[in-house]
Amino acid sequence: MSKINIPSENGDLMLTKSTRLVGLKKRIEGKDMDEVDANVIPDLGGFEVVTLNPGQSIDDALDHARNHQDVEVGTHVYFAEGDNRPVVATGIIYCEMADGVGKEERQVIFDAFALDILEDREDGTVVCKVTPKSPNPLKVAAALDKLSMISKAYPDLDVPLDQYFLEPRDGLLPHEWHLENQGFVSDVPSFRLKVGADAKVKAAWRRLGNLGSSSIIVAVIDNGFDLNHPDLRGKAVAPLSISSNSSTLPTGSAYGDHATPCSSVAVAAANGTGIVGAAPNSRLMPLHGLTYSKYLTERMFNHCVRNRADIISCSWGTIDPRYRPGTEHERAIRLALTSGRNGKGCVVVFAAGNEGREYINYYASIPGVIAVGASTSSDTHASYSNRGNGISVVAPSDGGWPILAARAAWDQGNSAMPANKRYYVDGIDRGQNYKHFGGTSSATPLVAGICALVLSANPNLTSVEVKSILERTADKIGNTWDYNSSGYSTKYGYGRVNADAAVAEAIRMRGGTTTTTTTTTPVTTTPPVTTPTTPTTTTVPRDTTTTTTTTPSTPTAPAPAPTTPMVTGTNLFQFSVTGQARNGYGLQVSVNNEFANVLKQVEELERKYSLPVLVNISTVNGRTAFKLLIGPFSTQAQADVAKRKMVSLGAAEPWLRPLSSL
């Protein structure tokens, strides 16, 4: 299976099996193995991506590694066409059953693939997990997706997402001009900045009379937290290593260093030394592990909601349409936006991205998210910052003079540069704990810290209100023609964020001049459906010359709700009814709840496949269910011949069922 085409919410994804990389889930995380030739990625979907003995084929080497006593699971790694990022199947599969399929019926399918059910959700989604007896999860998902009993089956994948960070051109400066820009930095007088090209954070502190509230928690989701850094020490609450579901965060260069500067821009402490974040008094919720995995994405945002994060800062994402957020990704983020903070909603901030494109990070474009672009020390648009509809605001970052941020103890900087210029653009040493930083990676936690100041001023604001305040109070920068008649720009959003004006508006709204109205959506009920007391099996043969029945024009059952699907086209049928013994086999095609639709579908099945059709009437969850099957067949071999014929004519693979099971 060197290539496999798998179903995806973003269209089918063609994956090619790597000839070098595999994923290992070890019983003891990080333990060395002689079979491992090189460690490539320490954590992707819960697996350590490695290369194995180069003298063996990838299949033989993986089988050998799987037999190692320290390996719990071994899996192949894949690549999408035209992309050099490894893809790992996490072993989770999201399934949606066809209408009318009951729990007993679906269990037969899951048992056939040795799947365990992790969650049975109210919306009909069943979250499954492969077991040691299951086939490859990609194969399982592809097979499930072909079954008529299942409307969709998507394997959960993980792929490295893009961290929106710009490597220092050759270092960065110490003074935090992004908080208050006076036109210069003290030890680089030759480089001029634009007076006022800042986020007005110091002015916001003065208005508040403090540095924000210690009750506000900013969650940062990223890789590489140095929680022993002088400006972050003692600030962490509810830490989470996402893939292992552990409160212990991994450290060291193998696990990244991006999270440390991002966290410092938002909440670095005012402790008399080093730098200061936008909201120095706020606490930090560190979540280690960037992931595309749906299941792990749900875990990360659910963790933020459960542990009372107020703001969630994400300086990462993707512009690759193959890995745009799917239904479960968006549902997890929407849940945080709407149900976090006891129903007021977490404020979720995403970076627009650094690719310099005319469209933004897909995660940043999710409704309700605050999408952040970057502006420069000259109050201009940073050329690398993505543009497009969806940007809320921009915030000061690199592009003119960079900003200063915390550096993880293991961060080696730009090793291609001379030793004295690995951390600072001009080579001037400003301490081992800091570095120059930029990109939308820096702009995003700056906005997250400003949101913490806004909630410090008025903790009763909803996530919708916080986003609206930032957009309404932003300063228009750039050219007037960059904005449309509504005051919106695809370069700047609603403008450069203004912390002081945003805090002032939050204080004004705290005075009670603004109220929030809650609208309750009316519940529409569907009239009950009359159901038979005893399930029966009815055969509708192709030769329908025996009995003619006209469908009554006036229904005796209650009228359906206006949204009930109606059959169009033929509504006059000729059919005969013959009892069918529960012997032999049938090929289940679908399950339907509307009798009129059943008649129409029987007609279409007979015409297309020239095979007899069975209809089984039963009760599923209190409603009448009509199961449509091709058959009967005396033997399984006869049923297999019919199945191949149907598939060759374009049908989804039907489900073989002994009629005795109906």
Side-chain angles (χ1 to χ4, degrees), residues 315-337:
S315 294
W316 47 270
T318 184
I319 60 169
D320 188 333
R322 293 171 296 191
Y323 303 117
R324 66 189 305 166
T327 302
E328 282 74 24
H329 296 100
E330 293 198 25
R331 183 185 292 118
I333 294 171
R334 286 199 304 270
L335 178 68
L337 284 165

Side-chain angles (χ1 to χ4, degrees), residues 532-536 617:
T533 56
T534 304
T536 62
I617 307 173

Side-chain angles (χ1 to χ4, degrees), residues 316-572:
W316 47 270
T318 184
I319 60 169
D320 188 333
R322 293 171 296 191
Y323 303 117
R324 66 189 305 166
T327 302
E328 282 74 24
H329 296 100
E330 293 198 25
R331 183 185 292 118
I333 294 171
R334 286 199 304 270
L335 178 68
L337 284 165
T338 56
S339 65
R341 298 174 56 237
N342 295 319
K344 293 188 286 291
C346 299
V347 179
V348 180
V349 189
F350 264 95
N354 290 351
E355 292 86 0
R357 302 296 181 87
E358 296 295 332
Y359 49 92
I360 66 174
N361 170 19
Y362 285 121
Y363 287 85
S365 63
I366 294 173
V369 165
I370 297 172
V372 181
S375 59
T376 72
S377 57
S378 298
D379 243 2
T380 60
H381 178 265
S383 60
Y384 55 80
S385 181
N386 290 344
R387 304 165 292 279
N389 289 319
I391 291 179
S392 294
V393 293
V394 294
S397 185
D398 193 14
W401 197 257
I403 70 168
L404 192 68
R407 178 171 66 89
W410 53 84
D411 183 353
Q412 297 303 308
N414 187 350
S415 58
M417 300 298 295
N420 64 335
K421 288 193 175 184
R422 289 186 177 181
Y423 309 112
Y424 302 105
V425 68
D426 54 0
I428 298 175
D429 184 7
R430 296 169 180 89
Q432 63 178 359
N433 294 319
Y434 303 99
K435 63 185 288 185
H436 280 134
F437 194 57
T440 54
S441 275
S442 177
T444 300
L446 175 56
V447 170
I450 291 170
C451 290
L453 298 181
V454 170
L455 289 179
S456 298
N458 185 351
N460 293 318
L461 295 170
T462 66
S463 61
V464 173
E465 289 171 327
V466 172
K467 181 180 180 182
S468 176
I469 286 173
L470 289 185
E471 294 173 346
R472 294 199 316 269
T473 60
D475 293 329
K476 296 291 188 287
I477 62 174
N479 300 307
T480 56
W481 56 80
D482 288 323
Y483 299 85
N484 63 20
S485 58
S486 300
Y488 184 78
S489 166
T490 55
K491 290 172 67 176
Y492 302 104
Y494 289 94
R496 190 237 311 117
V497 67
N498 185 321
D500 184 38
V503 166
E505 177 63 7
I507 293 172
R508 184 191 69 78
M509 293 176 66
R510 186 183 63 194
T513 57
T514 302
T515 58
T516 303
T517 302
T518 302
T519 303
T520 302
T521 303
V523 178
T524 303
T525 58
T526 303
V529 179
T530 304
T531 59
T533 56
T534 304
T536 62
T537 303
T538 304
T539 303
V540 185
R542 285 180 290 114
D543 182 4
T544 57
T545 59
T546 307
T547 307
T548 303
T549 304
T550 303
T551 303
S553 58
T554 305
T556 57
T563 56
T564 302
M566 301 299 292
V567 176
T568 59
T570 302
N571 60 5
L572 181 65

Side-chain angles (χ1 to χ4, degrees), residues 214-363:
S214 60
S215 65
I216 301 299
I217 299 174
V218 178
V220 174
I221 303 173
D222 215 309
N223 282 340
F225 291 89
D226 183 357
L227 298 181
N228 287 319
H229 190 282
D231 289 323
L232 299 178
R233 192 178 298 135
K235 296 184 74 73
V237 295
L240 176 69
S241 182
I242 296 166
S243 65
S244 65
N245 206 23
S246 167
S247 61
T248 302
L249 306 189
T251 58
S253 58
Y255 297 97
D257 50 43
H258 192 247
T260 300
C262 286
S263 300
S264 72
V265 172
V267 299
N271 55 13
T273 61
I275 65 168
V276 180
N281 286 349
S282 293
R283 291 178 290 168
L284 170 67
M285 183 183 294
L287 288 84
H288 170 87
L290 299 189
T291 177
Y292 173 75
S293 161
K294 296 179 181 184
Y295 195 68
L296 296 181
T297 298
E298 292 175 323
R299 175 181 289 173
M300 69 168 70
F301 283 97
N302 290 342
H303 178 86
C304 292
V305 172
R306 284 196 310 270
N307 291 281
R308 303 179 182 275
D310 297 284
I311 300 105
I312 305 173
S313 180
C314 305
S315 294
W316 47 270
T318 184
I319 60 169
D320 188 333
R322 293 171 296 191
Y323 303 117
R324 66 189 305 166
T327 302
E328 282 74 24
H329 296 100
E330 293 198 25
R331 183 185 292 118
I333 294 171
R334 286 199 304 270
L335 178 68
L337 284 165
T338 56
S339 65
R341 298 174 56 237
N342 295 319
K344 293 188 286 291
C346 299
V347 179
V348 180
V349 189
F350 264 95
N354 290 351
E355 292 86 0
R357 302 296 181 87
E358 296 295 332
Y359 49 92
I360 66 174
N361 170 19
Y362 285 121
Y363 287 85

